[in-house]
Amino acid sequence: MKVMLEAKELCKSFRLSAREQKLQKTDQRIKTAVDHISFQAYEGEIFGLLGPNGAGKTTTLRMLATLIRPDSGDAILDGASVIKDAEQVRAKVGFLTSELKLEEFFTPNYLFGFFSELHQIPAQVQEERRKKLFDIFGISKFAETKVADLSTGMKQKVSLAVSLVHDPSIIIFDEPTNGLDVLTAKIVTDFLLRLKEEKHTVIVSTHIFSLIEKICDRVGIIIDGKIAACGALDAIRDGKSLEDRFFDIYLEKAGDINE
């Protein structure tokens, strides 16, 4: 299988403010969010990054999407380095996060056109992709409705559509079903499986065990900024539910720290 993404010893630390130190109940001024993370993702697969809140999932994805620069290490996405070839990486990657806030004054039609122009997508291709994505997500009848007047689920679907205007080979989703109702969540998960069938590489981060078990081929378990286990889903589960295996691994890691 073709390796489409390879994270190589990625590291990232942040300086904590006095307020952040108090909230996190620590005297440490520097927090290591990601600590030498390495993994691979292949063409036509869904790779899950599973871990609790604060484990380093979002920081890892933001480095992969070139939104923040690693302190050390690198990642190669479809032949482009996040360190040396950031613009090439952005052309190959679609990134969706719950932090993406659409300008509420504009309509889905306008936003799709705006992001298409940013990626220099020809007009005819724009319209083909607009029709395909708007039909998949049921956006068409809301195409001229201001974002401010859309439901939370519809805003998420519009965010998905505009993040995919350039038909990226690698799609990175941070908590793709977070805050969605069950119907919208199913539309999103079905779409992720469709992307896999179309030979895209999909990276999802989540703390939801059932989502990983439903859609992922392989999984990396991230705890305290480190990969604690990584491999095929069935191998990671080792005959148990993913939830049970996660807590086995978590307790093993906690024991290592306390020794």
Side-chain angles (χ1 to χ4, degrees):
M1 291 187 291
K2 180 181 178 182
V3 176
M4 290 295 289
L5 182 154
E6 184 173 12
K8 301 179 177 181
E9 298 289 325
L10 287 173
C11 296
K12 187 66 181 180
S13 297
F14 298 99
R15 183 176 293 277
L16 298 178
S17 68
R19 180 174 180 275
E20 289 169 330
Q21 285 179 284
K22 185 175 180 180
L23 288 172
Q24 297 186 25
K25 299 179 180 179
T26 179
D27 294 328
Q28 300 295 318
R29 294 298 305 273
I30 302 296
K31 176 180 175 60
T32 300
V34 173
D35 190 358
H36 295 89
I37 278 185
S38 299
F39 64 89
Q40 293 180 332
Y42 301 101
E43 183 178 45
E45 81 163 359
I46 302 179
F47 180 91
L49 201 58
L50 173 68
N53 292 337
K57 303 188 301 296
T58 296
T59 300
T60 299
L61 297 192
R62 288 170 67 84
M63 286 190 284
L64 295 177
T66 75
L67 296 180
I68 57 176
R69 187 180 178 89
D71 296 335
S72 62
D74 199 354
I76 308 300
L77 285 77
D78 197 9
S81 161
V82 298
I83 301 295
K84 300 176 182 177
D85 313 303
E87 287 191 15
Q88 292 181 42
V89 170
R90 292 176 195 130
K92 299 171 183 288
V93 169
F95 180 59
L96 181 69
T97 170
S98 59
E99 295 176 0
L100 176 62
K101 304 299 181 186
L102 300 175
E103 174 52 61
E104 295 201 337
F105 179 79
F106 296 121
T107 66
N109 262 342
Y110 177 86
L111 289 168
F112 193 92
F114 176 79
F115 282 96
S116 295
E117 292 294 331
L118 285 181
H119 286 282
Q120 299 180 325
I121 308 299
Q124 182 177 346
V125 178
Q126 280 189 39
E127 290 311 307
E128 291 171 356
R129 290 183 184 164
R130 185 198 309 265
K131 184 179 188 312
K132 175 183 176 181
L133 291 168
F134 279 26
D135 285 350
I136 288 171
F137 294 121
I139 298 171
S140 297
K141 65 181 180 180
F142 302 100
E144 290 299 331
T145 302
K146 289 183 180 179
V147 170
D149 297 325
L150 298 176
S151 67
T152 299
M154 186 56 65
K155 289 177 182 177
Q156 179 82 322
K157 289 187 280 189
V158 174
S159 296
L160 268 169
V162 301
S163 71
L164 300 173
V165 295
H166 55 310
D167 193 26
S169 56
I170 300 170
I171 298 100
I172 299 173
F173 291 137
D174 189 13
E175 301 285 359
T177 59
N178 192 34
L180 299 182
D181 64 80
V182 291
L183 295 178
T184 303
K186 181 162 190 337
I187 290 171
V188 171
T189 54
D190 286 349
F191 182 65
L192 296 180
L193 291 168
R194 177 172 176 165
L195 289 171
K196 171 187 170 178
E197 292 175 0
E198 295 175 354
K199 299 301 182 183
H200 294 276
T201 300
V202 182
I203 313 295
V204 298
S205 80
T206 185
H207 60 278
I208 302 173
F209 301 109
S210 60
L211 178 62
I212 295 286
E213 292 185 300
K214 180 177 181 180
I215 68 172
C216 290
D217 302 285
R218 294 189 309 120
V219 60
I221 292 177
I222 180 171
I223 299 171
D224 293 333
K226 296 181 179 181
I227 294 290
C230 185
L233 181 59
D234 285 343
I236 293 292
R237 288 190 297 196
D238 193 25
K240 298 184 177 182
S241 71
L242 183 59
E243 182 176 5
D244 286 344
R245 279 296 295 140
F246 172 84
F247 284 108
D248 287 346
I249 293 167
Y250 185 87
L251 291 173
E252 287 170 10
K253 182 170 178 60
D256 291 341
I257 292 172
N258 291 329
E259 286 181 356

